[in-house]
Every structure is written in C-alpha cells, then in structure tokens.
Amino acid sequence: METFEGYIFTALCSTNFLVSCLLFSRVTREQREPYMDEIFHVPQAQKYCHGKFNEWDPMITTLPGLYLVSVGVIKPVVWLADLTGQVVCSTAMLRFINLLFNCGILYLLYLLICKLHSREKTRTTSRRVLSALSLSTFPVLYFFNFLYYTDAGSTFFTLFTYLMTLYGCHKASAFLGFCSILFRQTNIIWVAFCAGTLVAAKMDEAWRVEHTKKRDEKSPPSQVPLSFGGAKKVMMFTLEFLTSPVHVKSVLLVAWPYAVVAVGFLGFVVFNDGIVVGDRTSHEACFNFPQLFYFFSFALFFSLPVSLCYHRALRFLQALKKQPLFFLLVTGVSLLLVWKFTSVHKYLLADNRHFPFYVWKRLFQRHELVRFLVVPVYVFAGWNFLDSFKSRSLFWSLAFLACLLAATVPQKLLEFRYFIVPYLMYRLHMPLPSLPRLIVEFVLYTAVNAATLYIFISKTFHWPDSTATQRFMW
C-alpha cells in the first residue's frame, strides 16, 4: 500500500467506524433488549462469559464461534478496565463485537481487491478504496453489524480464509476456514471453494498443455464452445484429470490442509448425525432450485450500477439472436425447475418482520402464474452474472458455480443473509468498475442502508397477541 493511499484508507476506516458507532448508539438506544435471533445468541454468550461452557440452548443451530470470540475479546477488556456489573457481556457490548468485525471486513475487502486486481496499475487508488468501502456497506451485511448475529463474524473469517489462499498461505487459510465453520457450518462450502481454486489452477495448466500439444494455443482455457460437444469435452477432461494419480498427487501436495478440514467436518457430520446442531425442524435441506434464481435476481439488483450497461444489454440481445435454441432450452429447464422444485418455508409465510415475507406476498402470491412469468428475468440475471466472469478461467468459474449451487439450492428458507458471502465473492471478482459507477453503487447502498435502518428504528408495530414491539428487518 503506497503512503498516500495508506493515509486515505486509514482516514476512511476511521470515518467509517465513527459513523457506524453513531448508528450503533442509535439502534441500541431504540432496541435495548435482544431482538429476533438475539434472544438465543445473547443469553448463550452470557453463559460463556460466566464460564458455563457446558450449557447450550437447543434452539441454537450454529456452532459457538461467535460466543468464543466474544468472550475472548470482552474478558481482557473487562479485566483491563476493571468493569463490573450488568455492563459486562451486556447486549450492547456483545453487539459491539460485530462493529469490530465490520472494521476487519473493510480492511480484508481492500486487500482482496488489491490482490485480485493487481494487474491494473494505473489510476486505481480511488477505485480500490471506494470499492472496499462500498462493499463493506453492502446493505444486508451492514445492517447486521448492529445486532448480535453470526453474519459479520462468518463473513470476516470467510474473506480472511480466501485472502490467505490467494497469498498461498494454505495452512493459515485452512485454520481460518475452520474458524469460519465455527460461525456457520455451511462455510465449509467456501473452504471447499478455496481448495477448488487450487484444483482449477492445476486444471487450467493441464488444459493449456493439452491444447499446446494440439497446436491450438490461440484458444484460452475459458474459451470453450457453448454446445453439447464443448460440455462433453470439458467433462471428459475433468474425469481424466481427477483419475490421474499424477494430477491428484500434485493437487494434494498443495491442498492437503483443506482436506484435513474437510475430513474433520465429515467426522463432525457423522458424529452429529447432520450439519445442524440444536433445533433441526426448521433447517431441513431440500432441492430448492429457484433459490439460485432468487440469488441471480438479488445479485442483479445490487450490482446494477457496476454490472449493467448499454453494451452488455446489446450483447445479450445479440446472444439471443445468435443462439435462440439454447436460450429456449434454458428457459424451458428454468420453468420446469420452478414448477417442480419451488419450496416455501413456513417462516417465509408467517413471519412478517422480514422483508422476504413482503417480497413473497406482494410478488409471488399475487397469482400462481407470477413465478413462471418472471423466468425471463431469471434468465437475463443469470446471463448477466455469468458474463461478469468471462475474464475468469473456465475451471475457476465451474468451481465457483458448483459452490454457489451448494450454498443456495439446499436452503428451503428464502433468507437474504444467506446471499452475503456468494454476492461478495461475485462482486470481488468482477472487473474493477469505473469511479462514476462506484459512486452510484455507494449511493445506492447508502440509500438502502438509510431506508432499512430508518424503518427498523421508526416503523414499529405490535402483534395482536403480544405487547412486545416488533420491527422490520432483512
């Protein structure tokens, strides 16, 4: 980091932390008591603060990473500041842990952007800094910095894991991946993605060698015909690579730390008889393929300022004209998946405190045909998503898509929080946008954050059978 850029980034971090602290103070004043899932997380963390590590709330479905980190941060502060009484491990103090994670996330995003876009040497200082700031204020993530949820810590350790992978520190990356799993078990998918990038790099190298032998050097590994023949060629090459002892050995020599984490996780699943700890009734896996379409639409909306332009829209129309049968096939398969594999969680229909409740009620429940009528939007959103990766290698893209499927499709509940890490990974790997586009993105995120925090603080309501104040949130 150059000196001038370092000064700018430090000032930005300080300003971001100050603004977040002011917002945190307002949110905490308005909602002093634990809210929503905090009614499980806060008491559990307080038990850990009092040394009761053998007590566990069976309603909690994640591992105790958040509580262990909270105790590890709070206990030394309490000892140094000689704090006593109710302030120790209070709801506000526990929530503040996520503000610290937010600072770390901003720094990690900046380092990831610098590493991923290191080839762009000119006029990138302001773009790198603004990209990091914008993504750190990504609305769904930023909102949960003010509540005691697992999202900030989970995202922090997942991004840290990937950063260490990019720097080649695979043992450290595997350890950080283990930490991320302690926050949310499904982060094993992103540990697998980190290992998958290593496999993809080896496969890209082998693919180049094979094409060089065939005197086809002009075809980079990302350029494969979009046809059944091209798909068959890739599948045959993948099968050959994964069954070759030489290639498998070369991969394991590098990726063995991730394999250790994977074996440990598999042991946990066998011992626990499943991924979920605690209450499993509301967290059952299923084949909910439309979740992938919801994510594509979600990504299209939040990346609109930096991903969509006139030239891309024109390319989509040209692709439609050039390959109409392919897009008809994709649309037909999408319609079939929506028809046969749409799953609706009971919470989505019953809990009117979450924004997805209103998306579902006011869009999909208007008429039974609506879910089919929006399929063309899904197709465009998916094309736009994939088009952003055209500069990435074929096997890297396949590894990412495989992890994206694993992270979205098994989820029955439409919960925007589950899209945080996939979206950040997608956005980080897009070509570095221009400064005006980044400004528009930051303004969009700021406006959404302002609206959601205002609604959360000011637009309270009560259920007929309860006196407790209810609030709207992601």
Side-chain angles (χ1 to χ4, degrees), residues 56 138 181 197 234 248 287-288 295 334 336 351 426 447 459:
W56 185 259
F138 176 56
I181 293 168
T197 60
V234 171
V248 171
F287 287 108
N288 189 11
F295 172 75
S334 301
L336 179 64
D351 195 340
Y426 159 65
K459 302 298 181 180

Side-chain angles (χ1 to χ4, degrees), residues 220-414:
S222 58
Q223 302 255 336
V224 177
L226 192 61
S227 63
F228 292 109
K232 181 181 177 182
K233 186 178 181 182
V234 171
M235 289 174 63
M236 293 299 295
F237 174 80
T238 302
L239 184 63
E240 181 183 340
F241 182 92
L242 295 178
T243 54
S244 167
V246 175
H247 290 315
V248 171
K249 183 180 178 181
S250 68
V251 168
L252 286 177
L253 285 173
V254 180
W256 68 264
Y258 306 102
V260 171
V261 175
V263 171
F265 185 79
L266 184 61
F268 158 75
V269 171
V270 172
F271 175 78
N272 187 57
D273 194 26
I275 292 177
V276 178
V277 297
D279 180 32
R280 305 182 185 190
T281 57
S282 301
H283 295 82
E284 298 175 350
C286 65
F287 287 108
N288 189 11
F289 285 99
Q291 279 278 24
L292 182 64
F293 304 149
Y294 307 149
F295 172 75
F296 284 152
S297 304
F298 176 90
L300 176 64
F301 174 77
F302 281 106
S303 70
L304 206 59
V306 295
S307 69
L308 195 60
C309 62
Y310 169 77
H311 296 292
R312 178 166 288 180
L314 191 62
R315 282 204 308 274
F316 176 70
L317 294 175
Q318 290 171 345
L320 278 177
K321 185 177 180 180
K322 186 177 180 181
Q323 296 176 308
L325 293 179
F326 172 77
F327 281 97
L328 279 174
L329 177 63
V330 169
T331 302
V333 171
S334 301
L335 287 167
L336 179 64
L337 293 175
V338 169
W339 177 35
K340 289 294 186 181
F341 292 97
T342 296
S343 297
V344 184
H345 199 285
K346 59 184 179 181
Y347 289 170
L348 182 61
L349 300 176
D351 195 340
N352 65 343
R353 294 170 293 181
H354 288 290
F355 295 152
F357 170 87
Y358 296 96
V359 173
W360 196 266
K361 180 181 178 181
R362 297 181 179 179
L363 179 62
F364 294 102
Q365 287 189 317
R366 278 186 174 274
H367 194 279
E368 60 182 10
L369 292 179
V370 169
R371 61 190 178 124
F372 300 106
L373 294 175
V374 294
V375 164
V377 177
Y378 297 155
V379 172
F380 173 72
W383 179 89
N384 184 70
F385 182 88
L386 295 174
D387 190 63
S388 301
F389 286 151
K390 64 181 181 180
S391 61
R392 298 286 161 184
S393 74
L394 168 68
F395 296 107
W396 184 96
S397 300
L398 290 175
F400 181 80
L401 288 174
C403 292
L404 177 60
L405 282 168
T408 55
V409 171
Q411 302 283 359
K412 188 174 184 179
L413 178 62
L414 175 57

Side-chain angles (χ1 to χ4, degrees), residues 83-96:
L83 297 174
T84 57
Q86 294 183 348
V87 69
V88 178
C89 284
S90 63
T91 301
M93 184 174 282
L94 291 169
R95 286 173 177 172
F96 193 77

Side-chain angles (χ1 to χ4, degrees), residues 70-123:
S70 299
V71 173
V73 172
I74 289 173
K75 281 296 185 179
V77 172
V78 168
W79 180 74
L80 290 171
D82 195 25
L83 297 174
T84 57
Q86 294 183 348
V87 69
V88 178
C89 284
S90 63
T91 301
M93 184 174 282
L94 291 169
R95 286 173 177 172
F96 193 77
I97 297 296
N98 281 342
L99 274 195
L100 301 181
F101 276 129
N102 176 248
C103 294
I105 287 170
L106 174 57
Y107 187 51
L108 288 173
L109 287 168
Y110 175 78
L111 294 177
L112 282 164
I113 289 167
C114 290
K115 184 66 176 175
L116 290 168
H117 303 284
S118 58
R119 293 181 181 180
E120 299 186 45
K121 300 293 185 183
T122 59
R123 295 180 294 177

